[in-house]
Amino acid sequence: MTIIRQALDVSPAPLKPVRLAVERLTLAKRRWRGVAEDGAEFGFDLERPIADGAAFHQTADSVYVIAQKYEPVLELRIASIRPEPVEGRIGSDAARVGWLIGNLHFQIEVLDEVIRVVDDPAVRQMFEREGIGFTSCKRVFHPISGGHSHGQH
């Protein structure tokens, strides 16, 4: 087993890519093990977590790359969310959707056409109760970083 301490600085383009599929929550860790699609085993002992798409090892003819796995998510089409206030409501639907998701402390991913949130029963119930249209699917989920920490400084 090869021990990986950090991602490679550059991914050499002419080399054949070999994927190592990993769950998003595993990628948030500093220590874990994985097996690439060619059967090569790796142990990760990282100073900081490694990102989806990062090259982490190379041989004479191959470069090993992290491939985050798809996971169940709910997608909201941005075009379907009204950006302006509706009579009888304070604020826009867009602001309301953001507040509702944030109030449940779920991370989101905002793309050009969709907002994604992890497919969770609490989020589904809220969307259904509030009449917010969504689609259930599987995608690679890259939530917006940030949030807060309860640790000591």
Side-chain angles (χ1 to χ4, degrees):
M1 175 183 337
T2 303
I3 303 298
I4 304 300
R5 305 245 184 247
Q6 64 186 24
L8 297 177
D9 288 335
V10 196
S11 175
L15 298 177
K16 177 186 120 195
V18 180
R19 295 169 19 106
L20 188 149
V22 186
E23 301 282 342
R24 176 177 54 92
L25 297 178
T26 299
L27 286 178
K29 298 177 182 179
R30 290 184 34 242
R31 291 194 175 107
W32 51 277
R33 292 178 182 219
V35 179
E37 63 189 0
D38 67 354
E41 295 184 35
F42 296 93
F44 290 81
D45 186 10
L46 306 162
E47 188 173 313
R48 68 182 69 88
I50 196 164
D52 180 30
F56 63 88
H57 180 73
Q58 73 181 48
T59 63
D61 60 347
S62 301
V63 61
Y64 289 80
V65 179
I66 296 294
Q68 184 177 318
K69 291 182 179 180
Y70 282 34
E71 63 185 289
V73 295
L74 302 176
E75 287 187 345
L76 303 144
R77 304 235 38 89
I78 291 175
S80 71
I81 303 171
R82 289 185 296 265
E84 64 280 332
V86 175
E87 190 174 328
R89 285 194 185 155
I90 298 173
S92 70
D93 278 358
R96 190 169 145 267
V97 166
W99 180 83
L100 288 166
I101 295 169
N103 196 44
L104 291 177
H105 299 276
F106 279 91
Q107 294 177 309
I108 63 169
E109 177 180 14
V110 180
L111 302 168
D112 288 339
E113 298 179 11
V114 297
I115 295 172
R116 289 186 186 137
V117 63
V118 171
D119 188 347
D120 182 272
V123 178
R124 275 180 176 265
Q125 284 179 337
M126 177 190 62
F127 286 166
E128 289 166 356
R129 180 185 69 236
E130 297 295 325
I132 299 168
F134 64 89
T135 303
S136 176
C137 53
K138 286 191 172 193
R139 301 276 189 262
V140 172
F141 182 55
H142 295 128
I144 296 170
S145 346
H148 62 280
S149 169
H150 294 279
Q152 297 292 325
H153 293 284

